[in-house]
Amino acid sequence: MSVVAIDFIPMTVADLEWVAAQDRLLYPFPWSRQNFIDSMVAGYGCWTLFEDGQRAGYAVLMMVLDEAHILNISVCQARQGCGLGGRMLQHLGDVARAAGATQIFLEVRPSNEAALALYKKVGFEMIGRRKGYYPALNGREDAVVMRHLL
């Protein structure tokens, strides 16, 4: 059995076309290429996940004092369900902890049942709701606010 190489590399301009294209495939209301550029310029932790040298996911992590906030975390459709989301969450937690964070937050659509299940599995807990947070096909959708203590 071969060992799969998993690498988390800081996102570069060379990743942006792929990342933005993946976001368009994954979400009805995706981030734009400019959203990712703005995150990089702001100094947020922007990561590309490579699996055996191939891009397979990406994430954006914002640090504020002793808190981390996952702004975007995504695994390309072909690699979902293979454990990469959990590996990415572990990586983001390690980065946040090393930067002095004591907790990590995220928002997720209540309709994203797979993501909710993953977040709960790795120790995130629901701490609130943001009414009408996300654009939706028929108006707005709430966000479930989740926290994981590091």
Side-chain angles (χ1 to χ4, degrees), residues 1-55:
M1 182 173 186
S2 65
V3 174
V4 175
I6 302 292
D7 295 299
F8 299 95
I9 308 294
M11 193 180 291
T12 68
V13 172
D15 297 315
L16 291 176
E17 289 304 321
W18 181 87
V19 168
Q22 291 303 306
D23 224 59
R24 287 190 302 273
L25 289 171
L26 291 167
Y27 305 109
F29 299 92
W31 278 29
S32 68
R33 183 178 189 276
Q34 189 62 47
N35 291 133
F36 289 101
I37 290 170
D38 292 346
S39 294
M40 292 168 69
V41 169
Y44 299 162
C46 300
W47 300 93
T48 304
L49 164 65
F50 286 83
E51 182 183 38
D52 281 341
Q54 300 295 312
R55 291 180 187 102

